[in-house]
Amino acid sequence: MNKIGIHFGYFNTDWDTDFIRQIDQVKRIGFDILEVAPAPLMKLSKEQRRAIRDHAEEKGIDLTFSVGLGKEYDLASADKEIRKAGIQFTLDTFDIMQEMGSTMYSGVDIGTWNQTYSYGVIDKSREWKYSIESVQEIMKSAEEKGITFAVEVVNRYESSLVNTAEEAMEYISRVGSPNCKLLLDTYHMNIEEDSFEKAIQLAGGSLAHFHVGEPNRRPPKPDGRMPWDEITGALKSIHYEGAIVMEPFIKMGGEVGRDIKVWRDISKGAQTEEMERLAAVSVKMFREKMQP
């Protein structure tokens, strides 16, 4: 049975948070996974990270990592020093993942998040070349540490590099590492793909991680706008055994609202109890739909 998770940003307005409290929270709701980001954890001591790892293990919660690289870490940059900084940031993250017992690294991890071309580009080959060379260097460490590096397919407004499953399959083929896989996300697929089913089936065995959310980034729900039967049916058709991680963002304000671009209160004033209830509905739905 697929493990079900949620991104820690759903409950927060800022990226720094009390991860131990959130582990308790997601366990209570019924999740198996808390997806975290490297930057907040880098600010903590080894002892603090160890405490988070130990608490997660005690509660039976897995930790997966998701990143949105800043422009100072752009692995596709023409500036060699920026690429070097991005490689080092990723390798430092891998060290933290080893400390915390995590093996899944995903997100906008091959180039800058929330940055696109500022002119009418017709050829991405230069940026692909720089990005692929950077990732190939990173993959040496990923393979040694047993870390899966999942390339997220994101929409055209958040990244220029890889916008469809077809592009991502070509990208990971060029990287050429068994640890370089794919992450599909229904929010982005809704914008870019012609078919949820065909994109998932194209990814096939290369699909290592899967994000879910409604088109307006609300938590998934049975009466939502996403064709969840088509999506979960496609996942089952490729015998997908990886995680299904919710990535809803519905609160204005703070770093999270700014970075995700939440410019209205999508939650309609929901407090913690209602936020948890909405998430619990999603968990129940995916457990039922992913039954054999």
Side-chain angles (χ1 to χ4, degrees):
M1 181 62 69
N2 305 85
K3 291 189 176 182
I4 311 297
I6 189 166
H7 192 281
F8 80 107
Y10 173 64
F11 300 102
N12 304 314
T13 54
D14 292 309
W15 297 117
D16 292 338
T17 190
D18 181 346
F19 287 105
I20 288 179
R21 175 187 59 79
Q22 286 214 263
I23 288 166
D24 289 336
Q25 186 176 32
V26 300
K27 178 67 176 180
R28 183 172 66 252
I29 295 169
F31 288 101
D32 309 301
I33 295 169
L34 178 65
E35 189 142 285
V36 300
L41 291 163
M42 286 180 175
K43 299 176 184 179
L44 305 179
S45 67
K46 284 191 176 184
E47 290 73 21
Q48 288 171 311
R49 291 194 292 266
R50 189 177 301 117
I52 294 167
R53 178 202 65 194
D54 291 346
H55 194 67
E57 288 179 356
E58 179 187 337
K59 297 295 181 179
I61 295 294
D62 292 345
L63 300 174
T64 56
F65 278 62
S66 179
V67 71
L69 288 177
K71 61 183 179 180
E72 70 273 26
Y73 301 129
D74 186 4
L75 295 176
S77 173
D79 187 321
K80 183 178 180 180
E81 292 305 309
I82 291 176
R83 297 199 305 275
K84 184 177 177 181
I87 291 169
Q88 190 59 55
F89 175 87
T90 308
L91 297 181
D92 290 344
T93 299
F94 287 177
D95 288 341
I96 289 174
M97 290 176 66
Q98 273 208 311
E99 286 179 22
M100 303 187 73
S102 178
T103 58
M104 175 55 68
Y105 178 80
S106 70
V108 186
D109 49 17
I110 64 172
T112 303
W113 178 44
N114 276 335
Q115 177 175 287
T116 54
Y117 287 105
S118 57
Y119 56 93
V121 64
I122 58 171
D123 181 6
K124 300 191 288 189
S125 60
R126 185 183 72 160
E127 287 74 18
W128 267 48
K129 175 180 180 293
Y130 290 139
S131 176
I132 288 168
E133 288 175 351
S134 299
V135 172
Q136 284 174 331
E137 185 169 340
I138 287 165
M139 293 314 300
K140 298 171 189 174
S141 176
E143 291 172 18
E144 289 172 3
K145 291 178 165 63
I147 290 172
T148 297
F149 184 101
V151 177
E152 181 166 12
V153 183
V154 296
N155 72 71
R156 69 192 74 180
Y157 308 110
E158 295 182 38
S159 174
S160 310
L161 290 178
V162 170
N163 302 130
T164 66
E166 183 177 14
E167 279 192 314
M169 290 293 285
E170 174 64 21
Y171 183 96
I172 67 171
S173 173
R174 293 194 195 180
V175 171
S177 167
N179 290 52
C180 188
K181 301 289 187 179
L182 226 66
L183 159 62
L184 292 178
D185 181 319
T186 61
Y187 170 74
H188 302 296
M189 295 171 76
N190 183 61
I191 298 172
E192 300 292 350
E193 303 287 359
D194 292 327
S195 163
F196 290 100
E197 180 181 31
K198 289 179 181 177
I200 291 168
Q201 290 177 342
L202 176 65
S206 295
L207 184 63
H209 207 52
F210 197 72
H211 280 171
V212 290
E214 293 290 342
N216 57 1
R217 306 219 85 159
R218 280 171 95 38
K221 56 181 181 176
D223 60 347
R225 286 180 49 221
M226 286 293 188
W228 294 119
D229 286 341
E230 175 190 345
I231 291 165
T232 54
L235 291 173
K236 288 191 284 188
S237 77
I238 64 167
H239 307 290
Y240 177 68
E241 296 180 350
I244 297 173
V245 176
M246 292 169 47
E247 220 183 15
F249 299 100
I250 59 177
K251 284 288 190 183
M252 294 176 70
E255 297 167 338
V256 177
R258 176 200 67 202
D259 293 345
I260 303 296
K261 298 178 175 58
V262 182
W263 309 132
R264 69 192 190 284
D265 182 15
I266 301 172
S267 80
K268 300 186 184 301
Q271 300 302 307
T272 300
E273 184 177 354
E274 176 62 8
M275 298 272 284
E276 292 182 355
R277 187 194 69 78
L278 292 171
V281 168
S282 300
V283 175
K284 182 175 184 292
M285 180 183 79
F286 284 112
R287 295 225 191 273
E288 290 175 352
K289 289 189 180 297
M290 291 303 293
Q291 288 286 343

